[in-house]
Amino acid sequence: SPSCADDKKRRVSYYYDPGIAPIDFGKEHVMVPARVAMAHSLVGVYGMLGDMRRLRTRPATEAEIRRYHSPEYVGLLRDLTPESYANNASLRQKAQEHHGIGVGGDADCPAFARLWEYCRGYAGGSLAAARAVVDGASDIAINWSGGMHHACHAKASGFCYVNDIVLAINELLDCFRRVIYVDIDAHHGDGVQEAFVDSNRVMTLSFHRYDTKGCRKWFFPGSGDVDEIGKDTGRYYSLNVPLDAGVGDDEYHKLFKPVVGKAMEVFQPEAIVLQCGADSLSGDRLGGMELSVRGHAECVSYLRSFNLPLLLLGGGGYTINHVASTWCYETAVAIGKERELPDEIPRHGYELFYENQGNKLHYRTSPAPASKKSSNTAETTKGKVLEHLSEI
Ligand code: ZLM
Ligand code: CA
Ligand code: ZN
Protein backbone atom coordinates (compact mmCIF):
# COMPACT_ATOMS: atom_id res chain seq x y z
CA SER A 1 0.00 0.00 0.00
CA PRO A 2 1.15 3.56 -0.65
CA SER A 3 3.38 5.36 1.85
CA CYS A 4 3.72 9.11 2.12
CA ALA A 5 7.45 9.74 2.29
CA ASP A 6 8.48 7.75 -0.74
CA ASP A 7 12.20 8.30 -1.11
CA LYS A 8 13.07 4.82 -2.34
CA LYS A 9 14.80 5.01 -5.71
CA ARG A 10 13.49 3.14 -8.72
CA ARG A 11 15.35 1.69 -11.69
CA VAL A 12 13.88 3.53 -14.67
CA SER A 13 14.05 2.71 -18.39
CA TYR A 14 13.32 5.38 -20.96
CA TYR A 15 12.47 5.10 -24.63
CA TYR A 16 13.00 7.88 -27.14
CA ASP A 17 13.26 7.62 -30.91
CA PRO A 18 14.51 10.77 -32.66
CA GLY A 19 12.57 9.59 -35.74
CA ILE A 20 9.43 11.05 -34.09
CA ALA A 21 10.50 14.70 -34.51
CA PRO A 22 9.72 15.13 -38.23
CA ILE A 23 6.44 13.15 -38.18
CA ASP A 24 3.71 15.40 -39.52
CA PHE A 25 -0.02 14.56 -39.39
CA GLY A 26 -0.65 17.39 -41.86
CA LYS A 27 -0.95 21.13 -41.91
CA GLU A 28 -2.70 22.44 -38.78
CA HIS A 29 -3.53 18.97 -37.48
CA VAL A 30 -3.81 19.21 -33.69
CA MET A 31 -1.69 16.09 -33.05
CA VAL A 32 1.97 17.16 -33.08
CA PRO A 33 4.40 14.25 -32.49
CA ALA A 34 7.28 16.75 -32.12
CA ARG A 35 5.95 17.49 -28.59
CA VAL A 36 7.71 14.22 -27.62
CA ALA A 37 10.99 15.62 -28.97
CA MET A 38 10.38 18.77 -26.92
CA ALA A 39 9.80 16.71 -23.78
CA HIS A 40 12.94 14.70 -24.50
CA SER A 41 14.93 17.85 -24.96
CA LEU A 42 13.76 19.13 -21.55
CA VAL A 43 14.57 15.77 -19.92
CA GLY A 44 18.07 16.14 -21.35
CA VAL A 45 18.68 19.74 -20.32
CA TYR A 46 17.47 18.97 -16.78
CA GLY A 47 20.18 16.30 -16.64
CA MET A 48 17.94 13.28 -16.23
CA LEU A 49 19.17 11.04 -19.06
CA GLY A 50 22.03 9.76 -16.90
CA ASP A 51 19.54 8.59 -14.28
CA MET A 52 17.78 6.18 -16.61
CA ARG A 53 18.59 3.17 -18.74
CA ARG A 54 17.95 4.14 -22.34
CA LEU A 55 15.82 1.60 -24.19
CA ARG A 56 17.32 1.15 -27.61
CA THR A 57 15.01 -1.03 -29.63
CA ARG A 58 13.99 -1.95 -33.13
CA PRO A 59 10.63 -0.84 -34.46
CA ALA A 60 7.75 -3.28 -33.77
CA THR A 61 7.42 -5.95 -36.48
CA GLU A 62 4.30 -6.72 -38.48
CA ALA A 63 3.93 -9.96 -36.52
CA GLU A 64 4.10 -8.13 -33.19
CA ILE A 65 1.44 -5.65 -34.31
CA ARG A 66 -0.76 -8.53 -35.57
CA ARG A 67 -0.90 -9.89 -32.04
CA TYR A 68 -3.80 -7.47 -31.62
CA HIS A 69 -4.63 -5.94 -35.01
CA SER A 70 -6.15 -7.75 -38.00
CA PRO A 71 -3.74 -8.87 -40.77
CA GLU A 72 -5.77 -6.91 -43.32
CA TYR A 73 -5.53 -3.67 -41.31
CA VAL A 74 -1.81 -4.13 -40.63
CA GLY A 75 -1.20 -4.71 -44.35
CA LEU A 76 -3.08 -1.50 -45.10
CA LEU A 77 -1.04 0.55 -42.59
CA ARG A 78 2.13 -0.88 -44.15
CA ASP A 79 1.07 -0.02 -47.71
CA LEU A 80 -0.50 3.40 -47.10
CA THR A 81 1.45 6.46 -48.16
CA PRO A 82 0.16 9.83 -49.35
CA GLU A 83 0.99 8.61 -52.88
CA SER A 84 -0.78 5.23 -52.69
CA TYR A 85 -3.70 6.97 -51.01
CA ALA A 86 -3.95 9.48 -53.85
CA ASN A 87 -3.35 7.04 -56.73
CA ASN A 88 -4.88 3.74 -55.66
CA ALA A 89 -8.66 4.15 -55.53
CA SER A 90 -9.37 0.71 -54.09
CA LEU A 91 -6.79 1.14 -51.33
CA ARG A 92 -8.23 4.55 -50.53
CA GLN A 93 -11.78 3.22 -50.43
CA LYS A 94 -10.75 0.35 -48.17
CA ALA A 95 -8.94 2.78 -45.83
CA GLN A 96 -11.90 5.15 -45.62
CA GLU A 97 -14.83 2.76 -45.50
CA HIS A 98 -13.44 -0.01 -43.35
CA HIS A 99 -10.44 1.25 -41.41
CA GLY A 100 -11.14 4.83 -40.30
CA ILE A 101 -8.31 6.42 -42.28
CA GLY A 102 -8.58 9.54 -44.43
CA VAL A 103 -11.97 11.07 -45.24
CA GLY A 104 -11.78 14.82 -45.74
CA GLY A 105 -9.08 17.44 -45.33
CA ASP A 106 -9.66 17.60 -41.58
CA ALA A 107 -9.48 13.83 -40.98
CA ASP A 108 -8.67 12.73 -37.42
CA CYS A 109 -6.56 9.88 -38.86
CA PRO A 110 -5.01 10.95 -42.18
CA ALA A 111 -2.68 8.90 -44.38
CA PHE A 112 0.52 10.91 -43.90
CA ALA A 113 4.12 10.29 -44.97
CA ARG A 114 5.99 7.72 -42.83
CA LEU A 115 2.79 6.62 -41.06
CA TRP A 116 3.97 2.98 -40.87
CA GLU A 117 7.40 4.00 -39.54
CA TYR A 118 5.69 6.14 -36.89
CA CYS A 119 3.37 3.29 -35.80
CA ARG A 120 6.18 0.72 -35.66
CA GLY A 121 8.30 3.16 -33.68
CA TYR A 122 5.88 4.01 -30.88
CA ALA A 123 4.58 0.43 -30.68
CA GLY A 124 8.15 -0.89 -30.49
CA GLY A 125 8.80 1.54 -27.64
CA SER A 126 5.85 0.32 -25.58
CA LEU A 127 6.77 -3.33 -26.22
CA ALA A 128 10.36 -2.64 -25.12
CA ALA A 129 9.03 -0.86 -22.04
CA ALA A 130 6.86 -3.87 -21.17
CA ARG A 131 9.81 -6.24 -21.66
CA ALA A 132 12.03 -4.07 -19.46
CA VAL A 133 9.70 -4.56 -16.48
CA VAL A 134 8.95 -8.21 -17.34
CA ASP A 135 12.61 -9.22 -17.32
CA GLY A 136 13.08 -7.37 -14.03
CA ALA A 137 15.73 -4.99 -15.39
CA SER A 138 13.57 -1.96 -14.50
CA ASP A 139 10.93 -0.96 -11.96
CA ILE A 140 9.49 1.75 -14.22
CA ALA A 141 9.62 2.04 -18.02
CA ILE A 142 8.64 5.18 -19.92
CA ASN A 143 7.48 5.71 -23.52
CA TRP A 144 6.04 9.20 -24.01
CA SER A 145 5.40 8.47 -27.72
CA GLY A 146 2.93 5.69 -26.84
CA GLY A 147 -0.46 5.70 -25.17
CA MET A 148 -2.60 5.57 -28.32
CA HIS A 149 -5.71 4.34 -26.54
CA HIS A 150 -8.40 4.70 -29.27
CA ALA A 151 -6.99 2.35 -31.94
CA CYS A 152 -9.18 -0.73 -32.53
CA HIS A 153 -8.56 -4.27 -33.84
CA ALA A 154 -9.13 -3.21 -37.47
CA LYS A 155 -9.67 0.53 -37.28
CA ALA A 156 -7.86 3.79 -36.64
CA SER A 157 -9.64 6.30 -34.40
CA GLY A 158 -8.95 9.60 -32.68
CA PHE A 159 -5.35 10.12 -33.98
CA CYS A 160 -4.48 6.50 -33.00
CA TYR A 161 -3.57 3.79 -35.53
CA VAL A 162 -1.84 1.01 -33.59
CA ASN A 163 -2.88 0.36 -30.00
CA ASP A 164 0.54 0.09 -28.37
CA ILE A 165 -1.14 -0.13 -24.94
CA VAL A 166 -2.97 -3.35 -25.81
CA LEU A 167 0.24 -4.80 -27.25
CA ALA A 168 2.18 -3.87 -24.10
CA ILE A 169 -0.50 -5.25 -21.75
CA ASN A 170 -0.54 -8.54 -23.69
CA GLU A 171 3.22 -8.72 -23.24
CA LEU A 172 2.80 -8.14 -19.49
CA LEU A 173 0.09 -10.84 -19.31
CA ASP A 174 2.66 -13.45 -20.43
CA CYS A 175 4.30 -12.97 -17.05
CA PHE A 176 1.88 -11.25 -14.64
CA ARG A 177 -1.49 -12.65 -13.57
CA ARG A 178 -3.29 -9.32 -13.26
CA VAL A 179 -2.57 -5.91 -14.83
CA ILE A 180 -4.34 -2.65 -13.99
CA TYR A 181 -4.65 0.02 -16.67
CA VAL A 182 -5.28 3.61 -15.54
CA ASP A 183 -6.00 6.33 -18.11
CA ILE A 184 -5.81 10.03 -17.20
CA ASP A 185 -6.13 11.37 -20.75
CA ALA A 186 -9.12 13.74 -21.05
CA HIS A 187 -10.70 11.27 -23.49
CA HIS A 188 -12.20 7.86 -22.70
CA GLY A 189 -9.74 4.95 -23.17
CA ASP A 190 -12.26 3.10 -25.35
CA GLY A 191 -9.82 1.02 -27.45
CA VAL A 192 -8.10 -0.51 -24.44
CA GLN A 193 -11.42 -1.11 -22.68
CA GLU A 194 -12.78 -2.87 -25.78
CA ALA A 195 -9.73 -5.16 -26.07
CA PHE A 196 -10.10 -6.46 -22.50
CA VAL A 197 -13.85 -5.98 -21.96
CA ASP A 198 -14.44 -9.64 -21.10
CA SER A 199 -11.20 -10.26 -19.20
CA ASN A 200 -10.84 -10.46 -15.43
CA ARG A 201 -7.03 -10.34 -15.71
CA VAL A 202 -6.98 -6.72 -16.90
CA MET A 203 -8.83 -3.99 -15.07
CA THR A 204 -9.25 -0.82 -17.14
CA LEU A 205 -10.00 2.42 -15.34
CA SER A 206 -10.44 5.63 -17.33
CA PHE A 207 -10.99 9.14 -16.01
CA HIS A 208 -12.34 11.39 -18.74
CA ARG A 209 -14.52 14.26 -19.70
CA TYR A 210 -17.99 13.04 -20.49
CA ASP A 211 -21.10 14.89 -21.57
CA THR A 212 -24.33 12.97 -21.36
CA LYS A 213 -25.51 11.53 -24.68
CA GLY A 214 -27.59 13.83 -26.81
CA CYS A 215 -25.90 16.81 -25.25
CA ARG A 216 -25.03 19.60 -27.69
CA LYS A 217 -21.37 19.76 -26.66
CA TRP A 218 -20.77 16.01 -26.94
CA PHE A 219 -17.12 15.09 -26.22
CA PHE A 220 -15.17 12.44 -28.21
CA PRO A 221 -15.52 9.42 -28.30
CA GLY A 222 -18.86 9.61 -26.47
CA SER A 223 -18.40 6.37 -24.51
CA GLY A 224 -17.25 5.83 -20.92
CA ASP A 225 -20.45 6.17 -18.91
CA VAL A 226 -20.13 5.20 -15.25
CA ASP A 227 -22.39 2.21 -15.95
CA GLU A 228 -20.04 0.71 -18.59
CA ILE A 229 -18.49 -2.00 -16.45
CA GLY A 230 -17.38 -4.85 -18.72
CA LYS A 231 -18.99 -8.08 -19.93
CA ASP A 232 -19.21 -11.75 -18.89
CA THR A 233 -16.06 -12.79 -17.00
CA GLY A 234 -14.93 -9.17 -17.29
CA ARG A 235 -17.98 -7.74 -15.51
CA TYR A 236 -16.77 -5.12 -12.96
CA TYR A 237 -13.28 -5.13 -14.50
CA SER A 238 -13.92 -2.16 -16.84
CA LEU A 239 -14.45 0.98 -14.81
CA ASN A 240 -15.19 4.52 -15.88
CA VAL A 241 -15.10 7.85 -14.12
CA PRO A 242 -16.91 10.42 -16.28
CA LEU A 243 -16.14 14.04 -15.34
CA ASP A 244 -17.53 17.46 -16.17
CA ALA A 245 -15.52 19.95 -18.18
CA GLY A 246 -13.46 22.28 -15.99
CA VAL A 247 -12.48 19.79 -13.29
CA GLY A 248 -9.34 20.94 -11.42
CA ASP A 249 -6.78 19.23 -9.12
CA ASP A 250 -8.87 19.18 -5.94
CA GLU A 251 -11.98 17.71 -7.47
CA TYR A 252 -9.98 15.26 -9.60
CA HIS A 253 -8.07 13.88 -6.65
CA LYS A 254 -11.21 13.60 -4.52
CA LEU A 255 -12.10 10.88 -7.03
CA PHE A 256 -8.72 9.58 -8.24
CA LYS A 257 -7.18 8.45 -4.96
CA PRO A 258 -10.21 6.74 -3.38
CA VAL A 259 -11.15 5.00 -6.65
CA VAL A 260 -7.64 3.92 -7.68
CA GLY A 261 -6.81 2.98 -4.06
CA LYS A 262 -9.89 0.76 -3.83
CA ALA A 263 -9.20 -0.78 -7.26
CA MET A 264 -5.64 -1.65 -6.17
CA GLU A 265 -6.97 -3.19 -2.97
CA VAL A 266 -9.66 -5.40 -4.48
CA PHE A 267 -7.91 -6.31 -7.75
CA GLN A 268 -4.38 -6.85 -6.39
CA PRO A 269 -2.61 -6.29 -9.70
CA GLU A 270 0.97 -7.42 -10.30
CA ALA A 271 1.75 -4.60 -12.76
CA ILE A 272 0.43 -1.12 -13.60
CA VAL A 273 0.09 0.66 -16.93
CA LEU A 274 -0.58 4.40 -16.69
CA GLN A 275 -1.62 6.34 -19.78
CA CYS A 276 -0.54 9.92 -19.04
CA GLY A 277 -2.48 11.80 -21.74
CA ALA A 278 -1.69 15.47 -21.12
CA ASP A 279 -4.88 16.92 -22.60
CA SER A 280 -6.41 16.90 -19.12
CA LEU A 281 -4.11 19.83 -18.27
CA SER A 282 -5.35 23.37 -17.87
CA GLY A 283 -5.11 25.32 -21.11
CA ASP A 284 -5.16 22.33 -23.45
CA ARG A 285 -6.50 23.06 -26.95
CA LEU A 286 -8.97 20.16 -26.80
CA GLY A 287 -9.39 18.79 -23.29
CA GLY A 288 -11.32 21.49 -21.46
CA MET A 289 -10.11 20.26 -18.07
CA GLU A 290 -8.11 22.20 -15.48
CA LEU A 291 -5.35 20.03 -14.01
CA SER A 292 -2.04 21.65 -13.08
CA VAL A 293 1.29 19.98 -13.90
CA ARG A 294 1.59 18.93 -10.22
CA GLY A 295 -2.02 17.73 -10.15
CA HIS A 296 -1.44 15.56 -13.23
CA ALA A 297 1.89 14.28 -11.92
CA GLU A 298 0.29 13.44 -8.58
CA CYS A 299 -1.37 10.54 -10.42
CA VAL A 300 2.09 9.27 -11.37
CA SER A 301 3.45 9.63 -7.80
CA TYR A 302 0.40 7.89 -6.39
CA LEU A 303 0.70 4.86 -8.67
CA ARG A 304 4.49 4.77 -8.23
CA SER A 305 4.00 4.53 -4.47
CA PHE A 306 2.50 1.03 -4.79
CA ASN A 307 5.96 -0.32 -5.71
CA LEU A 308 4.77 -2.52 -8.56
CA PRO A 309 6.22 -2.75 -12.08
CA LEU A 310 4.98 0.44 -13.75
CA LEU A 311 4.69 1.48 -17.39
CA LEU A 312 4.31 5.21 -18.09
CA LEU A 313 2.91 6.01 -21.53
CA GLY A 314 2.00 9.26 -23.25
CA GLY A 315 -1.27 9.95 -25.08
CA GLY A 316 -3.11 13.14 -25.97
CA GLY A 317 -1.93 16.67 -25.29
CA TYR A 318 -2.46 19.56 -27.70
CA THR A 319 -0.86 22.60 -26.14
CA ILE A 320 2.59 21.24 -26.82
CA ASN A 321 4.61 23.34 -24.34
CA HIS A 322 2.31 22.17 -21.53
CA VAL A 323 2.69 18.56 -22.68
CA ALA A 324 6.49 18.74 -22.72
CA SER A 325 6.62 20.44 -19.29
CA THR A 326 4.39 17.76 -17.81
CA TRP A 327 6.13 14.70 -19.26
CA CYS A 328 9.51 16.16 -18.24
CA TYR A 329 8.27 16.67 -14.67
CA GLU A 330 6.73 13.17 -14.64
CA THR A 331 10.05 11.70 -15.76
CA ALA A 332 11.53 13.41 -12.69
CA VAL A 333 8.79 11.90 -10.52
CA ALA A 334 9.66 8.43 -11.89
CA ILE A 335 13.33 8.78 -10.90
CA GLY A 336 12.44 10.54 -7.63
CA LYS A 337 14.04 13.90 -8.47
CA GLU A 338 11.02 16.14 -8.94
CA ARG A 339 11.99 18.31 -5.97
CA GLU A 340 15.34 19.02 -7.61
CA LEU A 341 14.02 20.49 -10.89
CA PRO A 342 14.39 24.28 -11.07
CA ASP A 343 11.09 25.83 -12.13
CA GLU A 344 12.85 28.19 -14.58
CA ILE A 345 13.21 26.36 -17.91
CA PRO A 346 16.89 26.34 -18.96
CA ARG A 347 17.98 27.34 -22.45
CA HIS A 348 17.97 24.28 -24.66
CA GLY A 349 16.92 25.31 -28.14
CA TYR A 350 13.14 25.01 -27.68
CA GLU A 351 12.92 27.67 -24.93
CA LEU A 352 10.93 30.07 -27.13
CA PHE A 353 8.00 27.65 -27.03
CA TYR A 354 7.67 28.28 -23.28
CA GLU A 355 7.50 32.08 -23.38
CA ASN A 356 3.74 32.23 -22.90
CA GLN A 357 4.04 30.15 -19.76
CA GLY A 358 6.63 32.57 -18.37
CA ASN A 359 9.45 30.05 -19.01
CA LYS A 360 8.29 28.14 -15.95
CA LEU A 361 7.73 24.39 -15.79
CA HIS A 362 4.80 24.96 -13.44
CA TYR A 363 2.77 27.40 -15.46
CA ARG A 364 -0.09 29.25 -13.84
CA THR A 365 -3.57 27.72 -13.96
CA SER A 366 -6.86 29.30 -12.95
CA PRO A 367 -9.43 26.61 -12.26
CA ALA A 368 -12.86 27.91 -11.34
CA PRO A 369 -13.86 26.73 -7.88
CA ALA A 370 -15.95 23.56 -8.13
CA SER A 371 -19.68 24.32 -8.17
CA LYS A 372 -22.03 22.68 -5.69
CA LYS A 373 -23.68 20.89 -8.59
CA SER A 374 -20.50 19.41 -10.07
CA SER A 375 -19.26 18.40 -6.59
CA ASN A 376 -22.52 16.54 -6.04
CA THR A 377 -22.23 14.83 -9.43
CA ALA A 378 -18.66 13.82 -8.60
CA GLU A 379 -19.74 12.37 -5.23
CA THR A 380 -22.47 10.35 -6.93
CA THR A 381 -20.00 9.08 -9.55
CA LYS A 382 -17.51 8.08 -6.85
CA GLY A 383 -20.24 6.20 -5.00
CA LYS A 384 -21.25 4.29 -8.13
CA VAL A 385 -17.68 3.29 -9.06
CA LEU A 386 -16.91 2.15 -5.50
CA GLU A 387 -20.14 0.15 -5.56
CA HIS A 388 -19.03 -1.61 -8.78
CA LEU A 389 -15.67 -2.35 -7.12
CA SER A 390 -17.38 -3.83 -4.10
CA GLU A 391 -18.80 -6.56 -6.39
CA ILE A 392 -15.33 -8.03 -6.94
N1 ZLM B 1 -13.56 16.44 -37.04
N2 ZLM B 1 -7.24 19.59 -38.40
C1 ZLM B 1 -8.27 12.45 -29.07
C2 ZLM B 1 -8.96 12.35 -30.40
C3 ZLM B 1 -10.07 13.36 -30.57
C4 ZLM B 1 -14.74 13.57 -34.52
C5 ZLM B 1 -15.13 16.03 -35.17
C6 ZLM B 1 -12.27 17.00 -37.42
C7 ZLM B 1 -10.46 17.16 -33.35
C8 ZLM B 1 -9.79 17.96 -34.35
C9 ZLM B 1 -7.89 17.47 -37.53
C10 ZLM B 1 -6.53 20.34 -39.43
C11 ZLM B 1 -6.50 11.30 -27.60
C12 ZLM B 1 -14.05 14.02 -33.24
C13 ZLM B 1 -13.81 16.66 -35.58
C14 ZLM B 1 -12.19 18.51 -37.31
C15 ZLM B 1 -14.89 14.33 -36.91
C16 ZLM B 1 -11.40 15.48 -32.34
C17 ZLM B 1 -7.24 18.23 -38.48
C18 ZLM B 1 -9.15 20.10 -35.20
C19 ZLM B 1 -8.50 19.48 -36.30
O1 ZLM B 1 -7.80 21.48 -37.27
C20 ZLM B 1 -7.83 20.25 -37.34
C21 ZLM B 1 -7.43 20.62 -40.62
C22 ZLM B 1 -8.53 18.09 -36.41
C23 ZLM B 1 -9.17 17.32 -35.41
C24 ZLM B 1 -9.78 19.34 -34.25
N3 ZLM B 1 -10.83 15.85 -33.49
C25 ZLM B 1 -10.84 17.56 -32.07
N4 ZLM B 1 -11.41 16.48 -31.48
C26 ZLM B 1 -11.94 14.12 -32.06
C27 ZLM B 1 -10.82 13.11 -31.84
C28 ZLM B 1 -7.07 11.52 -29.00
O2 ZLM B 1 -6.09 12.52 -27.03
O3 ZLM B 1 -7.46 10.75 -26.72
C29 ZLM B 1 -5.33 10.30 -27.61
C30 ZLM B 1 -4.20 10.63 -28.51
N5 ZLM B 1 -12.75 13.69 -33.15
O4 ZLM B 1 -14.62 14.65 -32.39
C31 ZLM B 1 -15.16 14.54 -35.45
C32 ZLM B 1 -16.12 13.70 -34.76
C33 ZLM B 1 -13.57 15.01 -37.34
CA1 CA C 1 -9.07 8.93 -19.88
ZN1 ZN D 1 -7.16 12.71 -25.30
Side-chain angles (χ1 to χ4, degrees), residues 149 181-190 205-209 240-241 252 275 277 279-280:
H149 60 176
Y181 170 71
V182 181
D183 183 318
I184 61 171
D185 189 286
H187 297 92
H188 176 224
D190 57 350
L205 174 50
S206 176
F207 294 78
H208 46 266
R209 185 172 149 199
N240 288 291
V241 185
Y252 197 91
Q275 195 267 22
D279 49 5
S280 42

Short mmCIF file of all heavy atoms in Angstrom, two decimals, residues 149 181-190 205-209 240-241 252 275 277 279-280, ligand 2:
data_model
loop_
_atom_site.label_atom_id
_atom_site.label_comp_id
_atom_site.label_asym_id
_atom_site.label_seq_id
_atom_site.Cartn_x
_atom_site.Cartn_y
_atom_site.Cartn_z
N HIS A 149 -4.65 5.17 -27.13
CA HIS A 149 -5.71 4.34 -26.54
C HIS A 149 -6.98 4.14 -27.36
O HIS A 149 -7.82 3.37 -26.97
CB HIS A 149 -6.07 4.88 -25.15
CG HIS A 149 -6.57 6.30 -25.12
ND1 HIS A 149 -7.01 6.90 -23.95
CD2 HIS A 149 -6.71 7.24 -26.10
CE1 HIS A 149 -7.38 8.14 -24.22
NE2 HIS A 149 -7.21 8.37 -25.50
N TYR A 181 -4.88 -1.05 -15.71
CA TYR A 181 -4.65 0.02 -16.67
C TYR A 181 -5.40 1.26 -16.20
O TYR A 181 -6.61 1.22 -16.01
CB TYR A 181 -5.14 -0.40 -18.06
CG TYR A 181 -5.17 0.74 -19.06
CD1 TYR A 181 -3.97 1.27 -19.54
CD2 TYR A 181 -6.36 1.30 -19.49
CE1 TYR A 181 -3.97 2.33 -20.44
CE2 TYR A 181 -6.38 2.36 -20.38
CZ TYR A 181 -5.18 2.87 -20.85
OH TYR A 181 -5.19 3.92 -21.73
N VAL A 182 -4.67 2.35 -15.98
CA VAL A 182 -5.28 3.61 -15.54
C VAL A 182 -5.03 4.66 -16.62
O VAL A 182 -3.91 4.76 -17.15
CB VAL A 182 -4.70 4.06 -14.18
CG1 VAL A 182 -5.36 5.35 -13.71
CG2 VAL A 182 -4.89 2.96 -13.12
N ASP A 183 -6.05 5.43 -16.95
CA ASP A 183 -6.00 6.33 -18.11
C ASP A 183 -6.44 7.73 -17.68
O ASP A 183 -7.61 7.96 -17.38
CB ASP A 183 -6.96 5.74 -19.16
CG ASP A 183 -7.00 6.49 -20.47
OD1 ASP A 183 -7.02 7.73 -20.43
OD2 ASP A 183 -7.05 5.83 -21.53
N ILE A 184 -5.48 8.67 -17.64
CA ILE A 184 -5.81 10.03 -17.20
C ILE A 184 -5.87 11.04 -18.34
O ILE A 184 -5.95 12.25 -18.12
CB ILE A 184 -4.84 10.52 -16.08
CG1 ILE A 184 -3.39 10.58 -16.58
CG2 ILE A 184 -4.95 9.61 -14.86
CD1 ILE A 184 -2.44 11.26 -15.59
N ASP A 185 -5.86 10.53 -19.57
CA ASP A 185 -6.13 11.37 -20.75
C ASP A 185 -7.55 11.94 -20.60
O ASP A 185 -8.42 11.31 -20.00
CB ASP A 185 -6.05 10.46 -21.99
CG ASP A 185 -6.10 11.19 -23.31
OD1 ASP A 185 -7.20 11.65 -23.69
OD2 ASP A 185 -5.05 11.27 -23.97
N ALA A 186 -7.79 13.13 -21.14
CA ALA A 186 -9.12 13.74 -21.05
C ALA A 186 -10.19 12.94 -21.79
O ALA A 186 -11.38 13.10 -21.54
CB ALA A 186 -9.08 15.16 -21.60
N HIS A 187 -9.75 12.06 -22.72
CA HIS A 187 -10.70 11.27 -23.49
C HIS A 187 -10.83 9.86 -22.91
O HIS A 187 -9.90 9.37 -22.25
CB HIS A 187 -10.25 11.18 -24.96
CG HIS A 187 -10.21 12.50 -25.68
ND1 HIS A 187 -9.07 13.28 -25.74
CD2 HIS A 187 -11.18 13.19 -26.35
CE1 HIS A 187 -9.34 14.39 -26.43
NE2 HIS A 187 -10.61 14.37 -26.81
N HIS A 188 -11.97 9.23 -23.18
CA HIS A 188 -12.20 7.86 -22.70
C HIS A 188 -11.24 6.87 -23.38
O HIS A 188 -11.08 6.91 -24.60
CB HIS A 188 -13.66 7.46 -22.99
CG HIS A 188 -13.97 6.05 -22.61
ND1 HIS A 188 -14.71 5.20 -23.41
CD2 HIS A 188 -13.63 5.33 -21.50
CE1 HIS A 188 -14.83 4.03 -22.81
NE2 HIS A 188 -14.18 4.08 -21.66
N GLY A 189 -10.64 5.97 -22.61
CA GLY A 189 -9.74 4.95 -23.17
C GLY A 189 -10.51 3.79 -23.78
O GLY A 189 -10.39 2.64 -23.37
N ASP A 190 -11.32 4.09 -24.81
CA ASP A 190 -12.26 3.10 -25.35
C ASP A 190 -11.59 1.90 -26.01
O ASP A 190 -12.06 0.76 -25.88
CB ASP A 190 -13.25 3.77 -26.32
CG ASP A 190 -12.57 4.51 -27.48
OD1 ASP A 190 -11.34 4.69 -27.45
OD2 ASP A 190 -13.29 4.93 -28.40
N LEU A 205 -9.40 1.35 -16.14
CA LEU A 205 -10.00 2.42 -15.34
C LEU A 205 -9.66 3.75 -16.00
O LEU A 205 -8.52 4.19 -15.98
CB LEU A 205 -9.40 2.33 -13.92
CG LEU A 205 -9.74 3.39 -12.90
CD1 LEU A 205 -11.22 3.64 -12.79
CD2 LEU A 205 -9.19 2.98 -11.53
N SER A 206 -10.67 4.35 -16.63
CA SER A 206 -10.44 5.63 -17.33
C SER A 206 -11.16 6.77 -16.63
O SER A 206 -12.32 6.66 -16.26
CB SER A 206 -10.93 5.54 -18.79
OG SER A 206 -10.79 6.80 -19.44
N PHE A 207 -10.42 7.86 -16.45
CA PHE A 207 -10.99 9.14 -16.01
C PHE A 207 -11.08 9.99 -17.27
O PHE A 207 -10.11 10.09 -18.02
CB PHE A 207 -10.07 9.80 -14.97
CG PHE A 207 -9.97 9.03 -13.69
CD1 PHE A 207 -9.16 7.91 -13.61
CD2 PHE A 207 -10.70 9.41 -12.58
CE1 PHE A 207 -9.08 7.16 -12.44
CE2 PHE A 207 -10.62 8.67 -11.40
CZ PHE A 207 -9.81 7.55 -11.32
N HIS A 208 -12.20 10.61 -17.52
CA HIS A 208 -12.34 11.39 -18.74
C HIS A 208 -13.50 12.36 -18.66
O HIS A 208 -14.42 12.20 -17.87
CB HIS A 208 -12.57 10.46 -19.94
CG HIS A 208 -13.59 9.40 -19.65
ND1 HIS A 208 -13.21 8.16 -19.18
CD2 HIS A 208 -14.93 9.40 -19.68
CE1 HIS A 208 -14.30 7.44 -18.96
NE2 HIS A 208 -15.36 8.17 -19.25
N ARG A 209 -13.41 13.32 -19.55
CA ARG A 209 -14.52 14.26 -19.70
C ARG A 209 -15.65 13.54 -20.43
O ARG A 209 -15.42 12.82 -21.39
CB ARG A 209 -14.03 15.46 -20.50
CG ARG A 209 -15.08 16.53 -20.57
CD ARG A 209 -14.50 17.77 -21.19
NE ARG A 209 -15.55 18.46 -21.91
CZ ARG A 209 -15.35 19.35 -22.84
NH1 ARG A 209 -14.11 19.66 -23.20
NH2 ARG A 209 -16.35 19.94 -23.42
N ASN A 240 -15.23 3.20 -15.27
CA ASN A 240 -15.19 4.52 -15.88
C ASN A 240 -15.58 5.61 -14.91
O ASN A 240 -16.53 5.47 -14.16
CB ASN A 240 -16.14 4.52 -17.09
CG ASN A 240 -15.56 3.71 -18.23
OD1 ASN A 240 -14.56 4.11 -18.84
ND2 ASN A 240 -16.14 2.55 -18.49
N VAL A 241 -14.82 6.70 -14.97
CA VAL A 241 -15.10 7.85 -14.12
C VAL A 241 -15.33 9.07 -15.01
O VAL A 241 -14.39 9.80 -15.36
CB VAL A 241 -13.93 8.10 -13.13
CG1 VAL A 241 -14.29 9.23 -12.17
CG2 VAL A 241 -13.58 6.83 -12.35
N TYR A 252 -10.50 16.47 -8.94
CA TYR A 252 -9.98 15.26 -9.60
C TYR A 252 -9.48 14.28 -8.56
O TYR A 252 -9.79 13.09 -8.58
CB TYR A 252 -8.86 15.66 -10.56
CG TYR A 252 -8.50 14.61 -11.60
CD1 TYR A 252 -9.13 14.60 -12.84
CD2 TYR A 252 -7.52 13.64 -11.35
CE1 TYR A 252 -8.80 13.66 -13.81
CE2 TYR A 252 -7.18 12.70 -12.31
CZ TYR A 252 -7.82 12.72 -13.54
OH TYR A 252 -7.49 11.79 -14.50
N GLN A 275 -1.60 5.49 -18.60
CA GLN A 275 -1.62 6.34 -19.78
C GLN A 275 -1.71 7.77 -19.28
O GLN A 275 -2.68 8.14 -18.61
CB GLN A 275 -2.82 5.97 -20.67
CG GLN A 275 -2.78 6.51 -22.09
CD GLN A 275 -3.49 7.85 -22.27
OE1 GLN A 275 -3.68 8.59 -21.31
NE2 GLN A 275 -3.85 8.16 -23.49
N GLY A 277 -2.00 10.79 -20.81
CA GLY A 277 -2.48 11.80 -21.74
C GLY A 277 -2.50 13.17 -21.08
O GLY A 277 -3.04 13.33 -19.99
N ASP A 279 -3.81 16.01 -22.20
CA ASP A 279 -4.88 16.92 -22.60
C ASP A 279 -5.85 17.20 -21.46
O ASP A 279 -6.79 17.97 -21.62
CB ASP A 279 -5.61 16.42 -23.86
CG ASP A 279 -6.02 14.98 -23.77
OD1 ASP A 279 -5.84 14.35 -22.70
OD2 ASP A 279 -6.53 14.45 -24.78
N SER A 280 -5.60 16.58 -20.30
CA SER A 280 -6.41 16.90 -19.12
C SER A 280 -5.82 18.10 -18.35
O SER A 280 -6.36 18.51 -17.33
CB SER A 280 -6.50 15.66 -18.21
OG SER A 280 -5.26 14.99 -18.11
CA CA B 2 -9.07 8.93 -19.88
#
